[in-house]
Amino acid sequence: MAAMSASSPCDPEPGDLIEVFRPLYQHWALYLGDGYVINVVPEDEGPTSILGSAASVFSNRARVKIQLLKDVVGSNTYRVNNKYDNTCTPLPVHVIIQRAQSFVNKEVSYNVLDSNCEHFVTMLRYGEAVSNQATRAIGAIGFVTVAAGAFSLLGLLHSRSRDRHY
């Protein structure tokens, strides 16, 4: 799957998952047709603001919006990425679109780890919320936490062994 810029778009079909490559993460939207997508935007995030994107990590509320794909992508690149089709069965397109339309302009819970933009669009397409991006982040946080604990324990043991020598 090749990544495209807004000026050289690929041809998404209604119900497709759109992966937008932002500087620090991927943003996800669902293609509705006629150039429009539906996506969740944290309340404090502008259309494609890098600072807003970083601030979205701390947001806990988002607004569901229908926007032009080109506006969501901005100067970034994107691709159609229905990567979960191998493990999840997509709902019929008319059901996906109907589900999506029921959320327009609603405020929803937002959490980077368990209720993010990828969770939202996969819930629309498959009926279940999935996010490998969040799973990887949780794994990284767990690894850092374990590593920090191990280093703290080693430091404590090292300082106790030094204390005995004096």
Side-chain angles (χ1 to χ4, degrees), residues 116-129:
N116 64 34
C117 56
E118 187 177 10
H119 287 109
F120 177 73
V121 297
T122 56
M123 181 271 303
L124 294 175
R125 182 171 173 83
Y126 304 109
E128 66 179 285

Side-chain angles (χ1 to χ4, degrees), residues 6 22 35-36 47-48 67-75:
R22 299 240 172 113
Y36 286 91
T48 57
Q67 298 174 286
L68 284 169
L69 174 59
K70 67 181 181 107
D71 291 342
V72 173
V73 172
S75 62

Side-chain angles (χ1 to χ4, degrees), residues 76-91:
N76 299 294
T77 59
Y78 76 98
R79 68 178 175 173
V80 171
N81 189 354
N82 298 321
K83 66 182 180 178
Y84 300 109
D85 283 6
N86 294 333
T87 56
C88 302
T89 303
L91 298 168

